[in-house]
Amino acid sequence: MLFIIFFFPVVLLIIFGYAINFDVKHIKIAVYDQDKSDYTRNYINGLISSDYFDLVTYVEDSDEIKGLLDEKVVQAVIVFPNDLSKKLMSKQDVKVQYLIDGVDGSTASVIQNYVNAATYAYSIRLTKEYLAVHGKNIYVPIDLQPRFWFNPELQSTKFLIPGLMGMILIVTAVISISLSIVREKERGTIEQINVSPLSSLEFILGKTIPYIFISLINATIVLAAGYVLFGIVIKGNIFLLLFATMVFLFAALGLGIFISTVADSQQVAFQAANVTSLLPSFILSGFIFPIETMPNIIQVLTNITPAKFYVVILRAILLRGAGVSAFWEQLIYLGIFGTIFITLATIIDKRSRGKN
Amino acid sequence: MKAIEVNNLTKKFGDFTAVNNINFDVKQGEIFGFLGANGAGKSTTIRMLIGVLEPTSGDAMVGGYSIMNDSEMVKRHIGYMSQKFSLYNDLTVAENIRFYAGVYGLDGKKYQERKQWVLKVANLENMENMLTSSLPGGIKQRLALGTAVIHEPKIVFLDEPTSGVDPVSRRNFWDLINDLSDAGTTVLVTTHYLDEAEFCNDIILINAGRLVAQGNAKALKTNYIKNPILEIESDRVVDSLEILEKEKWVGETSIFGNYIHVILNDDTITEKNITQLLYEQNGIKIKRIERIIPTLEDVFIHLIEKDNK
C-alpha cells in the first residue's frame, strides 16, 4: 500500500511529463518541388532550419502525396508549381499549396501557423531583395514583439506539473483516507473503537494525520521530480505553498471522510473516491483542458472539484511567484468545501448511530 | 448491588421492533447468560447497553451510568468483545495490545503490568512479535478478550464470543470467563450454545425481541415445564415421533440424535401407555423409556414454540 502511494506520483509524473506534450515540434514534411530552383531551395531551407520542421522526403509525382499522408509518413506536404521561379522573376503572384493532415485539429492549426509564419518571412525577404535592387528599403511600420511571460518557451510541462500535483494529492488523500476508514468498518474493528472512550474527533485525527504527512511527502516528491526532470523551480514563497497545500488537503480529506461515512465496503469507497476525485481532477480541474473553453454548464460543474482551485493557486505560486492576494478566493473556497463535507459526514455518522 | 439495570428498553427500526420493552437486572460479579435465536434481538440489546446504539425508548443503568444520558461514561467503564474478533490482523500481538492500551490511556508501569497479563491469558508469552493474522482461532479469541479488558473494566460484554471455535478452545475460554467473574468482574455473555448457558449464574431468554424467561438454570428447568417429560429410545426414531405427534395427550416432541423427548399434556399417561402404542400397535421396539428432568434445550424449545403461537 505504502509503496503504491509513493510510487504512483512518480510514475504519473513521468507519463504525463513526457507523453502528454502539447508542444508541436519536428513536424514531418514532404516537398513536391516541380520548379527545383534557388527560390524553392531557399524557401525549404527557411522551413527546416528551425526545430519545427523535419524534411522527410521529396515527392516526384503527385500520386505519391496521398500515400504519404494516408500512411502518416508526413504531416504536411508542400507543393511548388513548376512555373514558380518564372512567375517570381516576372513579378507575378505565386500560389504555393500545402496539404496538412487535419485529423488532429489542434496540431493541424499549429502547423498552419508555422508554415504561414515561415512563408511570410520568406516573402518579406524576397520583397527586400527586390527593393534593394532598385535602391530602396522596405518600410514595415509595426513590428510585433510577443514575449511569453512565466513560461517563455511555452513548455507544456510547466503548465502540467501544478495540475498533476493537484491530481496526485487529491487522489491519494481521498482514496487512502476513505479506504482506511471503511476497512475498519468492513473488518469490524470500528465497533471496538466505537465502544471505547475514543471520540469521533480523536479517531478522525488519528486517521488523517498520517495521510497528511504522506500527502506532503508526495507533494515534495512531485516538486523534486518536476525540478530534476523538467527544471521547474518554485518561484513563490514555499511556506505559502505549504499553507495552501494544507488547506487543499483539508478539503480533500473532508471529501474522503464523507465518502467513508456513506460507503460500507472498500469496493464502494474506492469507486466513489475515484469518481469524485480522479475523474473531476483530471477532466474538470483545468489541469489539461482549459476551463475557459468549456461550455457554460460544464464550467459551472468544474466547481465540484477542489483540485480546480488548487491548480490555480499552484500555478500562481510555482510559475508566477504570486502572493496570497492572487488566490485568497480559492483558499476560502477550499476551506468552505472541506467544512461542508466534514459537517455532512458528522450528521450522517450521528444518524447512523441511532439506526443500526 | 446491581451492575446492570434494564428498564423497559425498546428499539425500533422503522416498523420493525427489534427489542420490545425488556426488563432485567444483572448482579455484580455474576456471569449472566443472554440467550436467544439468531435475530432475536441479542446483539441489538447489547449494542444499546454498550452505548453505541440509542434506544427508541426506555433506559438502562450500566455500572451506575445511564445509557441514554451518559453513554460516554458507560464506555469508560465497560469492556466489549464481539463475535468478529476486533483485532488488527496486520499488526503484531504486541502492537494490538499497545494500541488498545493507548485507547484506554494506559501507560508506564500499569501498561507493562497489563500487557504481561494479556499475554499470559492468551498463552502468548514470548510470542508477542507474531502477526495476529497467523494466530489460531482459539488463541486469537483469548487475545481479543484480554485486550477488551485491558483497562480492567467492572463489566464485560461478550457477544457470542465462542461462535465458530472448537470445543476445547470453547472450554478454555469459559475457564477464562470464570476467572474474570471470580475476580469480581460482571460478565454478560450472549450465546446460542445451551451447554454454555449451564455455566451462567443467571439466564434470560429472548425471542422476537421479547423476554420470555429468566432465572438460573435450575429454576428455568423446574419453573417453566410443569408437565411430565419422557425420553424414549427406540429402533425407529422418526416413525415413533410421527405416531406420537398424532396423539392428543402429546404436547411437544423433539429429536435428540437417536432418542426423542415428549412433553405430555396429561398426567395420567404413563410409560406403559406409550409402550403399548408404539410396540403393540406399531411394532416399534423400545430400548429405553424414562421420565426425566427437562434440559435447558427442552425448556427453550417449549418456551419459544409457545411464544411463537
Side-chain angles (χ1 to χ4, degrees):
Chain A
M1 182 75 182
L2 221 53
F3 174 73
I4 293 170
I5 290 175
F6 291 126
F7 192 62
F8 177 67
V10 178
V11 170
L12 275 187
L13 190 75
I14 290 170
I15 291 175
F16 282 96
Y18 286 111
I20 301 195
N21 196 333
F22 298 131
D23 304 338
V24 181
K25 277 189 180 171
H26 301 287
I27 300 157
K28 286 174 282 185
I29 57 165
V31 171
Y32 180 27
D33 187 356
Q34 302 175 76
D35 191 51
K36 294 202 169 84
S37 62
D38 276 354
Y39 289 112
T40 56
R41 216 165 296 126
N42 285 335
Y43 186 111
I44 295 164
N45 282 340
L47 284 177
I48 60 176
S49 62
S50 70
D51 274 354
Y52 299 118
F53 296 97
D54 288 345
L55 179 60
V56 175
T57 180
Y58 284 100
V59 179
E60 296 302 334
D61 185 349
S62 62
D63 294 340
E64 280 177 54
I65 295 173
K66 191 171 179 298
L68 287 173
L69 285 172
D70 271 357
E71 285 156 33
K72 290 197 166 285
V73 180
V74 297
Q75 288 159 281
V77 180
I78 298 171
V79 182
F80 297 111
N82 55 12
D83 55 356
L84 182 131
S85 47
K86 209 163 78 192
K87 278 192 172 170
L88 279 182
M89 280 192 276
S90 56
K91 309 303 168 228
Q92 295 177 46
D93 284 353
V94 179
K95 289 197 165 51
V96 171
Q97 184 185 38
Y98 56 100
L99 305 158
I100 305 172
D101 177 357
V103 172
D104 177 356
S106 64
T107 308
S109 62
V110 173
I111 296 175
Q112 185 191 4
N113 289 336
Y114 288 164
V115 177
N116 281 352
T119 308
Y120 178 71
Y122 187 56
S123 263
I124 295 269
R125 207 180 113 194
L126 287 179
T127 314
K128 274 186 182 165
E129 280 172 10
Y130 170 73
L131 290 172
V133 170
H134 294 84
K136 287 184 180 162
N137 258 331
I138 187 168
Y139 169 60
V140 183
I142 297 173
D143 185 11
L144 269 182
Q145 297 278 312
R147 291 275 184 281
F148 294 104
W149 275 27
F150 313 123
N151 186 3
E153 295 101 52
L154 290 181
Q155 276 181 302
S156 45
T157 40
K158 280 210 172 165
F159 187 67
L160 284 177
I161 294 279
L164 193 57
M165 188 164 145
M167 187 177 105
I168 288 166
L169 287 190
I170 192 170
V171 169
T172 45
V174 174
I175 292 182
S176 49
I177 190 72
S178 58
L179 283 191
S180 106
I181 295 178
V182 172
R183 188 161 47 233
E184 300 242 2
K185 272 199 205 176
E186 223 175 58
R187 294 188 184 163
T189 43
I190 199 149
E191 184 87 350
Q192 203 70 38
I193 301 292
N194 285 342
V195 178
S196 77
L198 220 57
S199 72
S200 297
L201 182 70
E202 286 170 314
F203 176 70
I204 296 287
L205 279 180
K207 278 283 167 194
T208 49
I209 288 171
Y211 289 105
I212 287 177
F213 277 102
I214 289 174
S215 298
L216 288 178
I217 293 171
N218 266 341
T220 314
I221 292 175
V222 174
L223 287 175
Y227 176 71
V228 172
L229 299 173
F230 305 107
I232 287 167
V233 282
I234 305 165
K235 283 201 178 163
N237 185 329
I238 192 148
F239 292 104
L240 201 57
L241 179 66
L242 182 69
F243 173 72
T245 304
M246 297 290 272
V247 176
F248 174 62
L249 286 176
F250 169 72
L253 293 172
L255 181 61
I257 291 165
F258 172 73
I259 289 169
S260 72
T261 57
V262 263
D264 282 324
S265 72
Q266 291 193 70
Q267 242 174 353
V268 174
F270 184 74
Q271 289 295 347
N274 237 334
V275 168
T276 53
S277 69
L278 182 65
L279 294 181
S281 67
F282 190 72
I283 299 168
L284 301 176
S285 69
F287 157 34
I288 292 180
F289 311 107
I291 292 168
E292 299 76 34
T293 60
M294 293 176 183
N296 283 338
I297 185 153
I298 305 290
Q299 288 201 21
V300 173
L301 201 65
T302 58
N303 293 320
I304 61 167
T305 174
K308 170 189 169 181
F309 301 88
Y310 185 57
V311 167
V312 172
I313 298 173
L314 275 184
R315 283 185 181 145
I317 299 179
L318 289 182
L319 304 182
R320 304 209 307 269
V324 83
S325 57
F327 49 77
W328 60 272
E329 286 164 299
Q330 278 80 7
L331 279 178
I332 289 173
Y333 175 87
L334 289 176
I336 293 173
F337 187 94
T339 312
I340 287 175
F341 276 100
I342 286 180
T343 313
L344 276 178
T346 319
I347 293 170
I348 291 172
D349 186 51
K350 281 229 172 90
R351 274 221 199 138
S352 68
R353 279 186 191 213
K355 267 184 193 157
N356 43 53
Chain B
M1 174 71 190
K2 284 166 188 158
I4 304 172
E5 269 184 80
V6 178
N7 298 312
N8 305 321
L9 199 62
T10 299
K11 180 69 197 178
K12 287 183 180 158
F13 298 108
D15 289 338
F16 174 67
T17 307
V19 175
N20 193 352
N21 201 26
I22 63 173
N23 292 282
F24 64 89
D25 293 337
V26 179
K27 290 195 277 293
Q28 187 92 56
E30 74 174 339
I31 301 177
F32 190 88
F34 192 176
L35 280 75
N38 288 334
K42 296 191 302 272
S43 289
T44 308
T45 308
I46 292 233
R47 286 166 58 80
M48 287 192 280
L49 294 181
I50 59 178
V52 294
L53 188 65
E54 265 180 38
T56 309
S57 63
D59 197 358
M61 301 297 283
V62 175
Y65 300 100
S66 154
I67 57 166
M68 282 295 258
N69 310 320
D70 256 342
S71 63
E72 290 310 311
M73 288 307 283
V74 169
K75 287 178 184 176
R76 274 175 206 282
H77 291 89
I78 58 158
Y80 168 75
M81 178 195 156
S82 72
Q83 44 198 335
K84 278 193 193 172
F85 302 121
S86 301
L87 296 168
Y88 292 89
N89 271 326
D90 40 6
L91 296 185
T92 64
V93 171
E95 284 166 342
N96 265 303
I97 296 175
R98 179 77 203 95
F99 176 73
Y100 283 110
V103 165
Y104 288 99
L106 299 185
D107 45 26
K109 214 176 128 197
K110 189 78 199 162
Y111 160 62
Q112 287 304 332
E113 194 185 302
R114 293 302 292 166
K115 179 181 171 179
Q116 289 314 317
W117 181 84
V118 173
L119 290 173
K120 203 177 114 220
V121 298
N123 291 331
L124 284 170
E125 284 154 311
N126 303 321
M127 285 186 276
E128 56 177 85
N129 291 324
M130 276 179 80
L131 212 54
T132 308
S133 58
S134 66
L135 301 174
I139 299 285
K140 220 192 248 182
Q141 175 202 42
R142 294 172 71 89
L143 177 62
L145 179 58
T147 52
V149 298
I150 196 161
H151 55 303
E152 297 176 276
K154 283 267 161 241
I155 305 167
V156 185
F157 293 85
L158 307 174
D159 192 3
E160 291 186 15
T162 54
S163 62
V165 174
D166 66 85
V168 177
S169 301
R170 262 173 64 196
R171 181 52 67 108
N172 291 337
F173 191 76
W174 271 91
D175 289 342
L176 192 55
I177 294 178
N178 280 320
D179 290 347
L180 283 175
S181 169
D182 289 346
T185 310
T186 309
V187 181
L188 188 149
V189 56
T190 74
T191 179
H192 43 224
Y193 293 114
L194 290 162
D195 57 331
E196 291 186 347
E198 305 266 1
F199 301 134
C200 300
N201 304 107
D202 262 309
I203 299 168
I204 59 168
L205 173 69
I206 66 169
N207 183 47
R210 281 187 306 276
L211 198 127
V212 290
Q214 61 185 34
N216 60 37
K218 201 178 158 199
L220 285 171
K221 287 176 198 171
T222 49
N223 294 352
Y224 288 91
I225 301 186
K226 302 285 188 203
N227 296 345
I229 179 159
L230 294 173
E231 187 168 281
I232 304 162
E233 200 176 340
S234 70
D235 61 349
R236 279 153 58 197
V237 182
V238 180
D239 291 343
S240 314
L241 189 80
E242 281 171 359
I243 292 161
L244 286 166
E245 275 178 346
K246 285 184 191 130
E247 297 299 325
K248 270 209 305 285
W249 41 266
V250 171
E252 282 155 33
T253 53
S254 41
I255 296 189
F256 292 86
N258 56 353
Y259 52 90
I260 47 182
H261 285 186
V262 178
I263 301 175
L264 304 174
N265 288 335
D266 188 339
D267 283 352
T268 62
I269 300 292
T270 61
E271 288 90 327
K272 230 176 154 185
N273 299 95
I274 292 178
T275 315
Q276 195 186 9
L277 174 71
L278 292 180
Y279 183 63
E280 287 166 22
Q281 290 178 23
N282 293 288
I284 296 171
K285 260 189 211 139
I286 293 173
K287 292 176 187 157
R288 184 169 60 89
I289 180 163
E290 60 185 317
R291 193 175 275 248
I292 55 159
I293 300 166
T295 63
L296 273 180
E297 196 143 346
D298 291 318
V299 177
F300 290 152
I301 290 170
H302 170 71
L303 287 171
I304 285 168
E305 283 186 351
K306 202 172 87 183
D307 189 61
N308 285 344
K309 278 172 201 162

